[in-house]
Amino acid sequence: EEGGTVGMVGGDSEYGYHNTRTRAAHAQNDAIIHKTFEEYTRLREGIREAELAEQRRDKLGGSLTSTSSGAYGSGSSPLSLRDREYVSSSPPEARRVQTRTSSQGLSGLRSRSTYTTSDLKTTSSAYGNFPKTREVYSSLTSAARRSSSDRTKGTATSSASSQKELDKKACVGLSNLGNTCFMNSILQCLFGVKELGEFFSDDVETGQIVRNRENKVAKAFQELVRKVLGSDIGSVVSPSGFHEKVKMKDRKWGGMRQHDSQEFLQFLLNVLREQCNRIAEKKPKYKELDGKGSQEDQAHEALKYYKSWHDSVIDDIFGGLLESSITCDNCNHISYCFDPFLDLSVPVPGSGMNSSSVNLHDCLSKFTEKEKLEDIEGYKCEKCKKQSTACKKLTVYKMPRVVILHLKRFSGGGFSRFSRFSKNSARVSFQMELDFGRYCYSSSEPSRYRLFAISHHSGSLTGGHYYAEVENAYDGCWYNFNDSMVTNCRQPDTSSSTAYVLFYRRI
C-alpha cells in the first residue's frame, strides 16, 4: 500500500502533561514509535523495489511462481504481485520481511515498558510477509500509547478520549494520479473544514444528493471524505474515483497537465454548491435589481435574491457578500452593486522574483483601495446622467464563516509563448489571527479570524509543485500534506514566498 511518512501526534494539548516526569514518559514512547516507523518505512521501500524488479523480470520473460510452502501456505497456485516469492535468481534489491513477536504474542507486547525495532527482522532472501509487518507496527504503536497512558493515571481519561477521536479522524495522504498535486493540496485544505466533513458524513443531510443521479461529483466527494475520515494515520487514500467524476464534469481536469489549485478550488466549490443545493423546485427567473432604497435595503434585496437561487452547505460555510460602490465626481452620488463570493482574490503588491516582503494587510488594502475611473472608460452616472470620472471601492459587506484568500501571484507577461505569464514570488507575511474589521462595511460584523490551512505553490511556472499545511480539525495539530507524504509540523512560517491560498476561520 503506497504511503509516506507521518509524524506521530504528540504535544501538551493531546496528552495533558502535568509534570516533567509525565512528559518524559510520553517523549520516550513517541521516540520509540518514530524509530519503529522508520524501520517499517525502510522495509516497505525494499518491498517496492522488489515489486519493480519483479515487473522488470516479467517483461524479460522471467518465470515467477509461488513456493511449495512458506508464509503464504502451500501449493503452486499463482499469488498476487505483493505476495509472490522468487523461486530463483532473486535480484539483490529484493528483501523478505519476516516478523516475530515476543513469546507472549502481541498481547505480551502491550505489557512491556519498551519496544524496539528488533520486533521486526529482515533477511536478504526474497520478500514475503508484508501484511504481518504492518500488523506488528500497528500493534507496537497502540501498545506504546496504552503503556504511556497506564503510567500517567491522572491523564488516562483525557488521553484515551483524545486518542479515540484521533483514530476516527486520522490524517492520511492522497495518491498523486499524475500531476494532480494541485487537486490534492486543495482537498487537504477542505478536509480541514470540520463542518464540511460533518455534513458529508451525515446520511440525513446528504440524502437528497444520493438520490439524484446527476450529482456525481458531490457523491464522489462524499465517498472520499468518508474514506479519509475513516482511515488510520499513516495510510494513503487514492482520489481516483473522485478525479474520474471531476473529469466527466469538465474534461479540462483530465490528462497529465498541471493546473492552478485556486481555479480547481473555484470549480469544486461551485459544483458542490450546485449539486448540494437545497432548492429543489424551479428557480426564479433572472432579473436586474432596481438598486433603490438605502444601502442596507439594497444589500438585503441582493442577498435574498441570491438565496432564492443558491442555498447549500457551501454557501453556509464560504458564502460572503461583496459591495462595490461607485462615487460620481460630478454630483457625489453613490451607486452600489452587491455580489456573492466564495473566495477573495487579492493582489500581491510588487512584481518579479525578487520583490521585497509585503504584509497580508498590504494585499487586502490594495484590494479595497479606491480606484479612479476615467471618463474614457464610459462610466455614466445614473443620477446626473453625465459621463464623468468616478471612484470605485470594494468593501466586504457580509463576512463568511470561513474566508478563503487567494494571493494573485500569477499574472500576464510578455508576448512570447513561453513568457505569457509570470509569477510573483514575493514573501508575504500573514498573521495566524487576522482582524478583517477595516475591510468590512459594518463594525458590528464579527471580524476576527484564525488561519487553519494553506495551499502552497513552490517552484516556477514551468516546474512547480503544490502542497498544503493544515491544522487538523480534530486533534488541533498542524500537518504538512505533500501528496502521499504526511508529516507532523509546527505552526506554519508566517512569512512565505510559496503561500498561495489561505483559509481563515471565524473565531
Side-chain angles (χ1 to χ4, degrees), residues 47-83:
I47 292 173
R48 285 178 177 173
E49 293 175 354
E51 289 177 345
L52 292 174
E54 184 178 24
Q55 292 174 359
R56 289 195 295 270
R57 290 192 59 200
D58 280 332
K59 292 180 180 179
L60 294 174
S63 175
L64 293 174
T65 60
S66 61
T67 56
S68 59
S69 63
Y72 297 97
S74 58
S76 59
S77 58
L79 300 175
S80 66
L81 177 62
R82 172 170 289 168
D83 295 342

mmCIF file of all heavy atoms in Angstrom, residues 47-83:
data_model
loop_
_atom_site.group_PDB
_atom_site.id
_atom_site.type_symbol
_atom_site.label_atom_id
_atom_site.label_comp_id
_atom_site.label_asym_id
_atom_site.label_seq_id
_atom_site.Cartn_x
_atom_site.Cartn_y
_atom_site.Cartn_z
ATOM 1 N N ILE A 47 10.373 -3.571 -0.256
ATOM 2 C CA ILE A 47 9.340 -4.354 -0.938
ATOM 3 C C ILE A 47 8.960 -3.703 -2.256
ATOM 4 O O ILE A 47 8.770 -4.368 -3.273
ATOM 5 C CB ILE A 47 8.108 -4.498 -0.017
ATOM 6 C CG1 ILE A 47 8.476 -5.378 1.182
ATOM 7 C CG2 ILE A 47 6.929 -5.099 -0.769
ATOM 8 C CD1 ILE A 47 7.398 -5.457 2.229
ATOM 9 N N ARG A 48 8.875 -2.391 -2.257
ATOM 10 C CA ARG A 48 8.556 -1.681 -3.504
ATOM 11 C C ARG A 48 9.613 -1.945 -4.574
ATOM 12 O O ARG A 48 9.309 -2.171 -5.746
ATOM 13 C CB ARG A 48 8.466 -0.176 -3.245
ATOM 14 C CG ARG A 48 7.184 0.243 -2.535
ATOM 15 C CD ARG A 48 7.206 1.715 -2.296
ATOM 16 N NE ARG A 48 5.984 2.184 -1.674
ATOM 17 C CZ ARG A 48 5.802 3.415 -1.237
ATOM 18 N NH1 ARG A 48 6.765 4.298 -1.352
ATOM 19 N NH2 ARG A 48 4.668 3.778 -0.686
ATOM 20 N N GLU A 49 10.880 -1.891 -4.149
ATOM 21 C CA GLU A 49 11.954 -2.165 -5.094
ATOM 22 C C GLU A 49 11.840 -3.578 -5.648
ATOM 23 O O GLU A 49 12.071 -3.823 -6.835
ATOM 24 C CB GLU A 49 13.304 -1.960 -4.411
ATOM 25 C CG GLU A 49 13.595 -0.505 -4.045
ATOM 26 C CD GLU A 49 14.888 -0.358 -3.267
ATOM 27 O OE1 GLU A 49 15.479 -1.401 -2.935
ATOM 28 O OE2 GLU A 49 15.296 0.772 -3.001
ATOM 29 N N ALA A 50 11.456 -4.512 -4.787
ATOM 30 C CA ALA A 50 11.313 -5.891 -5.229
ATOM 31 C C ALA A 50 10.163 -6.029 -6.212
ATOM 32 O O ALA A 50 10.238 -6.777 -7.190
ATOM 33 C CB ALA A 50 11.079 -6.808 -4.023
ATOM 34 N N GLU A 51 9.080 -5.318 -5.963
ATOM 35 C CA GLU A 51 7.941 -5.361 -6.878
ATOM 36 C C GLU A 51 8.337 -4.826 -8.255
ATOM 37 O O GLU A 51 7.970 -5.390 -9.294
ATOM 38 C CB GLU A 51 6.784 -4.549 -6.312
ATOM 39 C CG GLU A 51 6.106 -5.189 -5.116
ATOM 40 C CD GLU A 51 5.009 -4.313 -4.550
ATOM 41 O OE1 GLU A 51 4.958 -3.126 -4.890
ATOM 42 O OE2 GLU A 51 4.204 -4.836 -3.773
ATOM 43 N N LEU A 52 9.074 -3.723 -8.269
ATOM 44 C CA LEU A 52 9.527 -3.153 -9.537
ATOM 45 C C LEU A 52 10.460 -4.124 -10.264
ATOM 46 O O LEU A 52 10.392 -4.278 -11.488
ATOM 47 C CB LEU A 52 10.234 -1.824 -9.290
ATOM 48 C CG LEU A 52 9.344 -0.682 -8.799
ATOM 49 C CD1 LEU A 52 10.209 0.543 -8.464
ATOM 50 C CD2 LEU A 52 8.309 -0.323 -9.843
ATOM 51 N N ALA A 53 11.339 -4.745 -9.480
ATOM 52 C CA ALA A 53 12.259 -5.719 -10.081
ATOM 53 C C ALA A 53 11.483 -6.895 -10.659
ATOM 54 O O ALA A 53 11.826 -7.427 -11.717
ATOM 55 C CB ALA A 53 13.262 -6.205 -9.031
ATOM 56 N N GLU A 54 10.421 -7.288 -9.969
ATOM 57 C CA GLU A 54 9.607 -8.401 -10.447
ATOM 58 C C GLU A 54 8.915 -8.049 -11.759
ATOM 59 O O GLU A 54 8.834 -8.857 -12.682
ATOM 60 C CB GLU A 54 8.571 -8.758 -9.384
ATOM 61 C CG GLU A 54 7.726 -9.978 -9.744
ATOM 62 C CD GLU A 54 6.755 -10.324 -8.646
ATOM 63 O OE1 GLU A 54 6.408 -9.422 -7.869
ATOM 64 O OE2 GLU A 54 6.352 -11.486 -8.565
ATOM 65 N N GLN A 55 8.436 -6.811 -11.834
ATOM 66 C CA GLN A 55 7.805 -6.363 -13.073
ATOM 67 C C GLN A 55 8.803 -6.367 -14.222
ATOM 68 O O GLN A 55 8.469 -6.722 -15.359
ATOM 69 C CB GLN A 55 7.212 -4.974 -12.880
ATOM 70 C CG GLN A 55 6.032 -4.952 -11.930
ATOM 71 C CD GLN A 55 5.558 -3.538 -11.640
ATOM 72 O OE1 GLN A 55 6.135 -2.579 -12.141
ATOM 73 N NE2 GLN A 55 4.528 -3.422 -10.831
ATOM 74 N N ARG A 56 10.053 -5.942 -13.927
ATOM 75 C CA ARG A 56 11.089 -5.969 -14.964
ATOM 76 C C ARG A 56 11.350 -7.397 -15.434
ATOM 77 O O ARG A 56 11.552 -7.653 -16.617
ATOM 78 C CB ARG A 56 12.366 -5.323 -14.440
ATOM 79 C CG ARG A 56 12.266 -3.809 -14.269
ATOM 80 C CD ARG A 56 13.632 -3.181 -14.109
ATOM 81 N NE ARG A 56 14.291 -3.595 -12.890
ATOM 82 C CZ ARG A 56 14.169 -2.938 -11.730
ATOM 83 N NH1 ARG A 56 13.419 -1.860 -11.657
ATOM 84 N NH2 ARG A 56 14.813 -3.364 -10.668
ATOM 85 N N ARG A 57 11.332 -8.314 -14.481
ATOM 86 C CA ARG A 57 11.573 -9.719 -14.849
ATOM 87 C C ARG A 57 10.425 -10.257 -15.686
ATOM 88 O O ARG A 57 10.619 -11.062 -16.590
ATOM 89 C CB ARG A 57 11.739 -10.570 -13.592
ATOM 90 C CG ARG A 57 13.035 -10.300 -12.841
ATOM 91 C CD ARG A 57 13.274 -11.360 -11.788
ATOM 92 N NE ARG A 57 13.338 -12.687 -12.392
ATOM 93 C CZ ARG A 57 13.165 -13.813 -11.729
ATOM 94 N NH1 ARG A 57 12.924 -13.799 -10.449
ATOM 95 N NH2 ARG A 57 13.219 -14.977 -12.344
ATOM 96 N N ASP A 58 9.189 -9.828 -15.372
ATOM 97 C CA ASP A 58 8.048 -10.261 -16.175
ATOM 98 C C ASP A 58 8.233 -9.855 -17.632
ATOM 99 O O ASP A 58 7.951 -10.602 -18.566
ATOM 100 C CB ASP A 58 6.752 -9.655 -15.637
ATOM 101 C CG ASP A 58 6.237 -10.431 -14.425
ATOM 102 O OD1 ASP A 58 6.533 -11.632 -14.346
ATOM 103 O OD2 ASP A 58 5.542 -9.826 -13.592
ATOM 104 N N LYS A 59 8.701 -8.580 -17.821
ATOM 105 C CA LYS A 59 8.908 -8.078 -19.176
ATOM 106 C C LYS A 59 10.008 -8.852 -19.899
ATOM 107 O O LYS A 59 9.994 -8.984 -21.115
ATOM 108 C CB LYS A 59 9.254 -6.593 -19.128
ATOM 109 C CG LYS A 59 8.098 -5.717 -18.661
ATOM 110 C CD LYS A 59 8.501 -4.250 -18.638
ATOM 111 C CE LYS A 59 7.349 -3.389 -18.180
ATOM 112 N NZ LYS A 59 7.732 -1.950 -18.128
ATOM 113 N N LEU A 60 10.992 -9.342 -19.132
ATOM 114 C CA LEU A 60 12.111 -10.075 -19.735
ATOM 115 C C LEU A 60 11.818 -11.558 -19.882
ATOM 116 O O LEU A 60 12.677 -12.339 -20.291
ATOM 117 C CB LEU A 60 13.373 -9.884 -18.885
ATOM 118 C CG LEU A 60 13.920 -8.450 -18.837
ATOM 119 C CD1 LEU A 60 15.077 -8.379 -17.855
ATOM 120 C CD2 LEU A 60 14.378 -8.015 -20.224
ATOM 121 N N GLY A 61 10.604 -11.942 -19.472
ATOM 122 C CA GLY A 61 10.237 -13.351 -19.643
ATOM 123 C C GLY A 61 10.626 -14.221 -18.482
ATOM 124 O O GLY A 61 10.648 -15.449 -18.588
ATOM 125 N N GLY A 62 10.922 -13.636 -17.326
ATOM 126 C CA GLY A 62 11.285 -14.425 -16.168
ATOM 127 C C GLY A 62 10.117 -15.231 -15.650
ATOM 128 O O GLY A 62 8.962 -14.872 -15.809
ATOM 129 N N SER A 63 10.387 -16.350 -15.032
ATOM 130 C CA SER A 63 9.338 -17.217 -14.517
ATOM 131 C C SER A 63 9.129 -16.946 -13.048
ATOM 132 O O SER A 63 10.053 -16.995 -12.253
ATOM 133 C CB SER A 63 9.735 -18.680 -14.740
ATOM 134 O OG SER A 63 8.784 -19.529 -14.148
ATOM 135 N N LEU A 64 7.882 -16.677 -12.689
ATOM 136 C CA LEU A 64 7.548 -16.418 -11.298
ATOM 137 C C LEU A 64 6.436 -17.356 -10.877
ATOM 138 O O LEU A 64 5.373 -17.403 -11.489
ATOM 139 C CB LEU A 64 7.079 -14.964 -11.119
ATOM 140 C CG LEU A 64 8.116 -13.874 -11.347
ATOM 141 C CD1 LEU A 64 7.438 -12.521 -11.268
ATOM 142 C CD2 LEU A 64 9.203 -13.964 -10.299
ATOM 143 N N THR A 65 6.670 -18.101 -9.840
ATOM 144 C CA THR A 65 5.636 -18.972 -9.284
ATOM 145 C C THR A 65 5.698 -18.885 -7.793
ATOM 146 O O THR A 65 6.616 -18.311 -7.222
ATOM 147 C CB THR A 65 5.855 -20.446 -9.711
ATOM 148 O OG1 THR A 65 7.130 -20.868 -9.229
ATOM 149 C CG2 THR A 65 5.816 -20.589 -11.233
ATOM 150 N N SER A 66 4.731 -19.461 -7.131
ATOM 151 C CA SER A 66 4.760 -19.465 -5.678
ATOM 152 C C SER A 66 5.556 -20.658 -5.186
ATOM 153 O O SER A 66 5.677 -21.676 -5.859
ATOM 154 C CB SER A 66 3.322 -19.548 -5.127
ATOM 155 O OG SER A 66 2.711 -20.739 -5.556
ATOM 156 N N THR A 67 6.117 -20.551 -3.996
ATOM 157 C CA THR A 67 6.878 -21.657 -3.412
ATOM 158 C C THR A 67 5.925 -22.737 -2.947
ATOM 159 O O THR A 67 4.737 -22.506 -2.731
ATOM 160 C CB THR A 67 7.709 -21.161 -2.232
ATOM 161 O OG1 THR A 67 6.836 -20.543 -1.300
ATOM 162 C CG2 THR A 67 8.736 -20.137 -2.693
ATOM 163 N N SER A 68 6.451 -23.913 -2.748
ATOM 164 C CA SER A 68 5.603 -25.032 -2.332
ATOM 165 C C SER A 68 5.121 -24.880 -0.911
ATOM 166 O O SER A 68 4.104 -25.432 -0.535
ATOM 167 C CB SER A 68 6.385 -26.346 -2.493
ATOM 168 O OG SER A 68 7.571 -26.281 -1.698
ATOM 169 N N SER A 69 5.851 -24.118 -0.100
ATOM 170 C CA SER A 69 5.407 -23.899 1.277
ATOM 171 C C SER A 69 6.037 -22.627 1.778
ATOM 172 O O SER A 69 6.988 -22.132 1.204
ATOM 173 C CB SER A 69 5.809 -25.084 2.176
ATOM 174 O OG SER A 69 7.216 -25.195 2.226
ATOM 175 N N GLY A 70 5.511 -22.095 2.841
ATOM 176 C CA GLY A 70 6.071 -20.872 3.392
ATOM 177 C C GLY A 70 5.010 -20.059 4.090
ATOM 178 O O GLY A 70 3.984 -20.577 4.512
ATOM 179 N N ALA A 71 5.275 -18.765 4.187
ATOM 180 C CA ALA A 71 4.400 -17.895 4.955
ATOM 181 C C ALA A 71 3.008 -17.809 4.375
ATOM 182 O O ALA A 71 2.058 -17.491 5.071
ATOM 183 C CB ALA A 71 5.002 -16.484 5.030
ATOM 184 N N TYR A 72 2.856 -18.121 3.060
ATOM 185 C CA TYR A 72 1.563 -17.965 2.426
ATOM 186 C C TYR A 72 0.900 -19.295 2.119
ATOM 187 O O TYR A 72 -0.025 -19.361 1.311
ATOM 188 C CB TYR A 72 1.728 -17.158 1.128
ATOM 189 C CG TYR A 72 2.227 -15.792 1.399
ATOM 190 C CD1 TYR A 72 3.587 -15.510 1.286
ATOM 191 C CD2 TYR A 72 1.370 -14.788 1.818
ATOM 192 C CE1 TYR A 72 4.062 -14.247 1.558
ATOM 193 C CE2 TYR A 72 1.851 -13.526 2.084
ATOM 194 C CZ TYR A 72 3.190 -13.261 1.957
ATOM 195 O OH TYR A 72 3.658 -12.006 2.230
ATOM 196 N N GLY A 73 1.358 -20.358 2.752
ATOM 197 C CA GLY A 73 0.718 -21.651 2.553
ATOM 198 C C GLY A 73 1.439 -22.483 1.511
ATOM 199 O O GLY A 73 2.538 -22.197 1.078
ATOM 200 N N SER A 74 0.816 -23.555 1.088
ATOM 201 C CA SER A 74 1.442 -24.475 0.140
ATOM 202 C C SER A 74 0.649 -24.507 -1.155
ATOM 203 O O SER A 74 -0.463 -24.033 -1.260
ATOM 204 C CB SER A 74 1.507 -25.879 0.749
ATOM 205 O OG SER A 74 0.202 -26.322 1.083
ATOM 206 N N GLY A 75 1.253 -25.179 -2.174
ATOM 207 C CA GLY A 75 0.600 -25.279 -3.464
ATOM 208 C C GLY A 75 1.332 -24.483 -4.518
ATOM 209 O O GLY A 75 2.288 -23.797 -4.241
ATOM 210 N N SER A 76 0.890 -24.588 -5.753
ATOM 211 C CA SER A 76 1.548 -23.899 -6.851
ATOM 212 C C SER A 76 0.663 -22.857 -7.516
ATOM 213 O O SER A 76 0.943 -22.417 -8.610
ATOM 214 C CB SER A 76 1.980 -24.924 -7.908
ATOM 215 O OG SER A 76 0.841 -25.628 -8.372
ATOM 216 N N SER A 77 -0.443 -22.511 -6.874
ATOM 217 C CA SER A 77 -1.334 -21.513 -7.472
ATOM 218 C C SER A 77 -0.655 -20.153 -7.451
ATOM 219 O O SER A 77 0.079 -19.825 -6.527
ATOM 220 C CB SER A 77 -2.654 -21.438 -6.695
ATOM 221 O OG SER A 77 -2.397 -21.114 -5.353
ATOM 222 N N PRO A 78 -0.885 -19.334 -8.493
ATOM 223 C CA PRO A 78 -0.241 -18.021 -8.544
ATOM 224 C C PRO A 78 -0.726 -17.122 -7.422
ATOM 225 O O PRO A 78 -1.890 -17.186 -7.015
ATOM 226 C CB PRO A 78 -0.669 -17.475 -9.918
ATOM 227 C CG PRO A 78 -1.935 -18.208 -10.244
ATOM 228 C CD PRO A 78 -1.779 -19.571 -9.637
ATOM 229 N N LEU A 79 0.167 -16.286 -6.924
ATOM 230 C CA LEU A 79 -0.164 -15.353 -5.859
ATOM 231 C C LEU A 79 -0.218 -13.950 -6.408
ATOM 232 O O LEU A 79 0.207 -13.701 -7.535
ATOM 233 C CB LEU A 79 0.885 -15.438 -4.734
ATOM 234 C CG LEU A 79 1.034 -16.801 -4.062
ATOM 235 C CD1 LEU A 79 2.181 -16.767 -3.076
ATOM 236 C CD2 LEU A 79 -0.252 -17.208 -3.363
ATOM 237 N N SER A 80 -0.712 -12.997 -5.595
ATOM 238 C CA SER A 80 -0.746 -11.608 -6.011
ATOM 239 C C SER A 80 0.673 -11.063 -6.114
ATOM 240 O O SER A 80 1.614 -11.646 -5.573
ATOM 241 C CB SER A 80 -1.543 -10.772 -5.009
ATOM 242 O OG SER A 80 -0.872 -10.745 -3.770
ATOM 243 N N LEU A 81 0.803 -9.920 -6.813
ATOM 244 C CA LEU A 81 2.125 -9.334 -7.034
ATOM 245 C C LEU A 81 2.833 -9.065 -5.724
ATOM 246 O O LEU A 81 4.023 -9.302 -5.583
ATOM 247 C CB LEU A 81 1.976 -8.026 -7.816
ATOM 248 C CG LEU A 81 3.267 -7.256 -8.069
ATOM 249 C CD1 LEU A 81 4.216 -8.093 -8.904
ATOM 250 C CD2 LEU A 81 2.952 -5.945 -8.793
ATOM 251 N N ARG A 82 2.089 -8.554 -4.719
ATOM 252 C CA ARG A 82 2.713 -8.214 -3.447
ATOM 253 C C ARG A 82 3.176 -9.453 -2.700
ATOM 254 O O ARG A 82 4.163 -9.437 -1.979
ATOM 255 C CB ARG A 82 1.729 -7.411 -2.603
ATOM 256 C CG ARG A 82 2.207 -7.171 -1.184
ATOM 257 C CD ARG A 82 1.323 -6.193 -0.475
ATOM 258 N NE ARG A 82 1.529 -4.862 -1.015
ATOM 259 C CZ ARG A 82 0.749 -3.828 -0.770
ATOM 260 N NH1 ARG A 82 -0.304 -3.969 -0.022
ATOM 261 N NH2 ARG A 82 1.003 -2.644 -1.290
ATOM 262 N N ASP A 83 2.422 -10.600 -2.839
ATOM 263 C CA ASP A 83 2.690 -11.769 -2.005
ATOM 264 C C ASP A 83 3.522 -12.846 -2.710
ATOM 265 O O ASP A 83 3.748 -13.908 -2.151
ATOM 266 C CB ASP A 83 1.365 -12.388 -1.539
ATOM 267 C CG ASP A 83 0.598 -11.457 -0.629
ATOM 268 O OD1 ASP A 83 1.232 -10.520 -0.105
ATOM 269 O OD2 ASP A 83 -0.610 -11.662 -0.441
#
